[in-house]
């Protein structure tokens, strides 16, 4: 039903979020029945329209027996058009009430599977297409949307050019153990793990670029931090060293969190997020070397094997010590990707950085300075047993005008999980993909 098809004399269309502009006026609202209480003469249907929920008041004497009966027998999520008078009411959720003068029933839904009672996680995920209508899921999706806006605004307003990286690729960027292989006209191809290598071409062509798209990793374990399909934003900057990358990551993260706070406070309140924790996300973030972090972890009773990567328990314990994100840099060369630049003063450490979110959330950003020497990179490709012929184009970037450069990748869903303060990453993407889930 479109606006044009409302009767010519119908009151103007409104949304529940914008209802305050219509106080004292007749409006038309379109949506779905969220809840309904009724007595013989009076009914209180709650309508949701995707922007909010409003309570309506309908009287038998205004609607007539037949329509009143039909309304009071509607099931949850029936679709309907209501017209009525908007009146301010401090007791009503949202502050307004609709005194209903007419009802048009579009569909009478019966047996909606998601009720107010507790449902199991699997049940809810099997009904994800409907679960998205619930208040909590709507709040999370709104925060996701605002996060995307914040991310784009950040880079667009600072001269970065959006340059999309391909999804099909012959290159492994983040190691060969999490590649999704597919057949590409008789040859193997992979779904991209990261758009970074192509952004390096972008940075050397345009100075500063970013990509923001889906990336794929065949994560074989189901953790609360891993999806097999997730969205990553990846800026890449020419003439930048590790210090520049840390400055950018820090500035970016502060601005994104503050943007969500400014524009999405009501959604965070819906999620019962402790907002003071997000308000604390201010510069400077502590910058801690890997070796220093290892010493701290040993003292905290969560020691790291020599030259090993951090696992979730390490990140959890470490981040619980701080009220804001921290930046851990200088990880062991042996555990990091082939493209990371070795520290010239200590080749066993790379000029890479991870930004770890507080409250135990852990890694949200990974990045750093890239290896810009052709010879070292060639050696690294061999060491990592990567097929050199598929990296020839990447090596060209070192043959023709190589410069110090770097960038980072932030996983959108990791960011949203932390900002929302929720337990599991799978609620932050509309239709999650994990080792055990491909539907709906
Ligand atoms: O640390 P990662 O593997 O770094 C890269 O991919 C670089 N090439 C990025 C770059 O420098 N342009 O991944 C970056 C971020 C992680 O910090 C995390 O937020 C997210 O991507 N991430 C995942 N998010 C959800 N599920 C997964 N399986 C993820 N793996 C990584
Ligand atoms: Mg990482």
């Amino acid at each position: 039903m479109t606006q044009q098809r409302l009767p010519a004399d119908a009151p103007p269309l409104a949304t529940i979020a914008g209802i305050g502009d219509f106080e004292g006026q007749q409006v038309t609202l379109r949506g779905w029945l969220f809840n309904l209480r009724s007595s013989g003469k009076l009914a209180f249907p709650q309508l949701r329209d995707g922007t909010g929920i409003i309570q309506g008041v309908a009287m038998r004497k205004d609607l007539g027996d037949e329509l009143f009966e039909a309304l009071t027998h509607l099931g949850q999520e029936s679709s309907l058009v209501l017209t009525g008078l908007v009146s301010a009411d401090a007791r009503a959720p949202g502050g307004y009430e609709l005194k209903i003068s007419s009802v048009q029933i579009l569909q009478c839904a019966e047996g909606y599977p998601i009720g107010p009672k507790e449902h199991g996680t699997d049940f809810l995920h099997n009904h994800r297409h409907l679960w998205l209508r619930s208040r909590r899921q709507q709040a999370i999706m709104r925060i996701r949307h605002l996060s995307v806006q914040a991310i784009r605004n950040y880079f667009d307003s600072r001269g970065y050019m959006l340059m999309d990286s391909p999804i099909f690729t012959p290159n492994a960027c983040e190691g060969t153990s999490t590649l999704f292989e597919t057949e590409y006209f008789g040859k193997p191809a992979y779904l991209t793990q990261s758009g970074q290598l192509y952004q390096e071409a972008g940075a050397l062509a345009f100075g500063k670029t970013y990509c923001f798209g889906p990336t794929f990793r065949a994560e074989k374990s189901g953790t609360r931090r891993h999806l097999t399909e997730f969205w990553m934003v990846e800026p890449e900057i020419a003439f930048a060293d590790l210090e520049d990358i840390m400055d950018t990551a820090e500035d970016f993260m502060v601005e994104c969190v503050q943007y969500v706070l400014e524009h999405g406070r009501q959604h965070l309140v819906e999620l019962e997020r402790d907002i003071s924790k997000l308000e604390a996300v201010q510069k400077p973030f502590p910058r801690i070397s890997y070796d220093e972090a290892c010493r701290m972890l040993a003292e905290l009773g969560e020691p790291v094997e020599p030259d090993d990567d951090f696992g979730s328990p390490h990140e959890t314990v470490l981040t619980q010590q701080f009220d804001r994100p921290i930046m851990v840099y200088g990880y062991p060369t042996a555990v990091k990707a082939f493209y990371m630049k070795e520290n010239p003063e200590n080749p066993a450490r790379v000029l890479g950085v991870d930004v770890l979110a507080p409250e135990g959330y852990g890694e949200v950003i990974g990045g750093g300075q890239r290896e810009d020497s052709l010879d070292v990179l060639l050696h690294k490709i061999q060491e990592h047993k990567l097929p050199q012929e598929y990296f020839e184009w990447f090596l060209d970037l070192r043959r023709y005008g190589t410069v110090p450069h770097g960038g980072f990748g932030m996983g959108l869903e990791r960011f949203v999980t932390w900002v929302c303060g929720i337990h599991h990453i799978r609620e932050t993407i509309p239709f999650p993909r994990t080792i055990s889930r491909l539907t709906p």
Side-chain angles (χ1 to χ4, degrees):
M1 181 165 172
T2 60
Q3 183 159 12
Q4 290 79 351
R5 276 186 263 145
L6 288 175
D9 57 351
L13 269 177
T15 62
I16 295 170
I19 203 79
D21 296 343
F22 294 90
E23 195 192 332
Q25 296 174 44
Q26 292 279 331
V27 293
T28 304
L29 288 175
R30 303 181 300 196
W32 297 266
L33 187 65
F34 184 70
N35 198 353
L36 188 134
R37 285 186 295 121
S38 71
S39 66
K41 292 184 193 153
L42 213 54
F44 299 100
Q46 288 187 343
L47 188 80
R48 65 160 198 93
D49 74 346
T51 74
I53 296 174
I54 193 168
Q55 169 144 311
V57 188
M59 299 215 237
R60 184 185 283 272
K61 70 172 169 44
D62 295 339
L63 297 187
D65 287 336
E66 198 181 330
L67 193 53
F68 187 83
E69 284 300 316
L71 173 67
T72 52
H73 286 88
L74 287 178
Q76 188 183 349
E77 289 301 319
S78 293
S79 42
L80 61 166
V81 181
L82 299 178
T83 53
L85 179 74
V86 179
S87 65
D89 182 340
R91 290 161 308 169
Y96 296 93
E97 204 174 59
L98 189 74
K99 299 200 183 316
I100 298 169
S101 50
S102 94
V103 177
Q104 186 192 351
I105 296 168
L106 301 183
Q107 193 243 343
C108 175
E110 281 171 43
Y112 185 67
I114 303 179
K117 68 174 191 298
E118 289 273 315
H119 295 285
T121 303
D122 243 18
F123 178 89
L124 290 170
H125 278 283
N126 287 337
H127 293 86
R128 183 63 170 161
H129 49 294
L130 301 177
W131 190 26
L132 285 170
R133 301 179 186 190
S134 77
R135 297 172 76 132
R136 175 182 157 88
Q137 298 308 312
Q138 297 222 330
I140 299 170
M141 286 303 120
R142 294 277 178 194
I143 297 292
R144 179 184 169 101
H145 171 79
L146 287 171
S147 303
V148 172
Q149 257 177 12
I151 290 166
R152 288 201 180 283
N153 287 348
Y154 185 87
F155 293 116
D156 292 346
S157 65
R158 285 170 176 81
Y160 290 75
M161 197 188 79
L162 176 72
M163 193 190 94
D164 300 307
S165 289
I167 304 287
F168 284 128
T169 166
N171 302 105
C173 182
E174 296 300 325
T176 50
S177 66
T178 62
L179 285 171
F180 273 115
E181 189 172 323
T182 175
E183 199 218 80
Y184 195 77
F185 304 109
K187 286 192 181 150
Y190 308 113
L191 298 182
T192 185
Q193 296 169 304
S194 156
Q196 175 195 320
L197 305 185
Y198 298 95
Q199 292 310 304
E200 292 189 44
L204 299 194
F206 296 96
K208 296 198 278 193
T209 58
Y210 74 102
C211 63
F212 193 178
T215 47
F216 306 86
R217 300 203 191 170
E219 303 283 0
K220 278 139 202 136
S221 62
T223 82
R224 69 190 187 93
R225 295 177 180 182
H226 290 92
L227 295 165
T228 55
E229 179 179 310
F230 62 97
W231 285 65
M232 182 156 47
V233 58
E234 297 181 85
E236 191 72 25
I237 311 165
F239 305 103
D241 61 13
L242 175 63
E243 201 74 10
D244 297 319
I245 298 307
M246 292 203 277
D247 291 346
T248 306
E250 177 186 63
D251 192 56
F252 164 70
M253 191 167 262
V254 169
E255 182 162 309
C256 288
V257 170
Q258 297 310 316
Y259 183 93
V260 174
L261 267 175
E262 188 181 333
H263 296 89
R265 196 170 277 263
Q266 77 270 33
H267 307 304
L268 297 169
V269 170
E270 172 75 41
L271 295 166
E272 296 175 11
R273 180 68 167 115
D274 180 350
I275 285 172
S276 69
K277 297 266 201 284
L278 297 176
E279 284 166 343
V281 179
Q282 299 292 349
K283 292 194 264 188
F285 296 172
R287 300 182 184 196
I288 306 165
S289 73
Y290 165 87
D291 292 298
E292 208 176 314
C294 287
R295 282 193 289 275
M296 290 177 65
L297 283 164
E299 276 174 29
L300 291 163
E302 196 67 60
V304 185
E305 294 291 309
D307 284 6
D308 201 359
D309 207 352
F310 292 165
S312 298
H314 302 116
E315 291 185 359
T316 300
V317 169
L318 195 60
T319 57
Q320 279 166 348
Q321 312 306 312
F322 301 90
D323 70 338
R324 61 190 72 196
I326 59 173
M327 300 202 274
V328 178
Y329 62 91
Y331 283 87
T333 308
V335 300
K336 287 293 182 187
F338 76 97
Y339 54 72
M340 290 213 182
K341 189 171 176 64
E342 289 172 4
N343 183 345
E345 281 152 31
N346 178 6
R349 298 288 179 264
V350 283
L351 302 176
V353 60
D354 280 356
V355 183
L356 311 182
E359 302 169 76
Y361 281 95
E363 182 190 342
V364 176
I365 284 181
Q369 193 173 336
R370 320 304 188 190
E371 182 52 70
D372 47 5
S373 145
L374 176 65
D375 291 340
V376 179
L377 198 56
L378 262 171
H379 178 72
K380 285 295 198 67
I381 286 171
Q382 284 154 12
E383 211 175 68
H384 285 252
K385 300 194 172 57
L386 294 167
Q388 193 183 315
E389 74 259 37
Y390 292 125
F391 287 86
E392 283 301 334
W393 70 267
F394 187 63
L395 293 165
D396 271 353
L397 304 177
R398 277 64 180 171
R399 290 185 183 107
Y400 306 109
T402 189
V403 298
H405 66 285
F408 61 82
M410 182 175 86
L412 174 64
E413 293 79 12
R414 292 261 182 103
F415 178 79
V416 175
T417 305
W418 162 52
V419 169
C420 290
I422 62 179
H423 178 71
H424 204 297
I425 195 169
R426 68 191 159 202
E427 284 184 53
T428 63
I429 186 162
F431 294 95
R433 299 291 178 248
T434 63
I435 186 168
S436 56
R437 183 163 295 281
L438 184 62
T439 56

